[in-house]
Amino acid sequence: MNIILLGPPGAGKGTQAGILVKERGMVQLSTGDMLREAKDSGTDMGKRVAEVMARGELVTDEIVIGLIREKLKTVKAAGFIFDGFPRTLAQADALAELLEEEGQALDAVIEMQVDDDVLVQRIVNRAKEAAAAGQPVRADDNAESMKVRLMEYYKKTSPLIGYYYAKGDLHSIDGLGQIDEVAGAIKAILG
Ligand code: ADP
């Protein structure tokens, strides 16, 4: 089973992906994590994307599609959870093609809906908690980058909601509840 978790920054995609990995043995493909790894490893690509990410802007389709292509060609899994990908229509088209090439299908797109004020608050809190615990704070977890990330989401990613609705793959859930409530809503969709 292959699914996409779709939603604005701070909606809880990574948290729910983690639960699905634990409970179903699916493999999480988070382009955000892959890009942060590239940044930390100091590769040329990592250096190029670091500033773009810190500002809260999207990195190029070419780069993220390349990362996903590589994973789909090399990782064998009972199912993939796409977390933070696709974020543009071009990425969505590329994903459809890549899955087809691999003889795989997309089973569900789960849109996690969360109020914008809550999103900003969650991100600011995440940064505060990390700082208090002496953990590294993400360079883009601040109010300024968050504004850009939200704008990028509404301009470039939210059109995917209509795209997947039209394809018949879309399921929208309330992402505002407790973590286990949201997990329950996802379970109700996936069976
Ligand atoms: P969040 O969903 O909390 O914003 P992510 O970890 O998914 O965080 O992404 C962090 C940053 O990585 C994004 O703001 C963007 O700069 C970059 N990024 C991640 N995935 C993509 C993607 N599919 N396309 C373009 N940029 C991406």
Side-chain angles (χ1 to χ4, degrees):
M1 181 185 309
N2 299 306
I3 68 168
I4 294 173
L5 294 180
L6 186 63
K13 302 182 296 286
T15 302
Q16 294 302 327
I19 293 173
L20 291 167
V21 167
K22 248 192 14 220
E23 292 187 349
R24 295 171 188 252
M26 296 172 78
V27 169
Q28 175 186 10
L29 295 182
S30 159
T31 40
D33 287 348
M34 293 176 207
L35 291 167
R36 276 184 290 276
E37 274 165 29
K39 183 184 128 189
D40 293 344
S41 66
T43 58
D44 278 352
M45 189 265 274
K47 283 182 206 151
R48 265 186 287 141
V49 299
E51 283 180 26
V52 177
M53 289 174 77
R55 285 198 298 269
E57 295 165 9
L58 294 189
V59 309
T60 63
D61 288 335
E62 197 190 348
I63 288 178
V64 289
I65 291 167
L67 289 170
I68 289 287
R69 176 182 292 118
E70 178 67 23
K71 292 284 180 191
L72 288 183
K73 300 251 178 257
T74 54
V75 180
K76 292 290 159 242
F80 291 109
I81 307 155
F82 296 95
D83 161 12
F85 179 92
R87 261 175 155 97
T88 64
L89 290 166
Q91 291 177 23
D93 283 336
L95 177 61
E97 256 176 54
L98 287 172
L99 286 173
E100 201 184 325
E101 277 170 33
E102 297 298 313
Q104 301 232 25
L106 186 62
D107 297 283
V109 178
I110 299 176
E111 183 214 352
M112 300 174 64
Q113 298 176 327
V114 180
D115 186 77
D116 290 341
D117 286 338
V118 175
L119 294 173
V120 177
Q121 209 44 55
R122 279 187 181 179
I123 296 286
V124 171
N125 284 344
R126 179 160 83 187
K128 274 193 202 148
E129 278 166 23
Q135 288 163 355
V137 177
R138 268 174 55 170
D140 58 350
D141 270 359
N142 56 71
E144 202 180 322
S145 295
M146 185 57 192
K147 256 193 227 160
V148 179
R149 283 154 72 192
L150 266 185
M151 192 62 85
E152 290 283 74
Y153 177 78
Y154 284 113
K155 278 201 299 200
K156 297 173 185 167
T157 308
S158 66
L160 296 183
I161 296 168
Y163 170 96
Y164 285 119
Y165 174 81
K167 280 193 155 189
D169 296 330
L170 190 75
H171 302 264
S172 299
I173 61 166
D174 182 1
L176 263 184
Q178 299 293 317
I179 289 173
D180 57 342
E181 288 170 350
V182 178
I186 293 176
K187 201 170 181 180
I189 293 164
L190 301 182

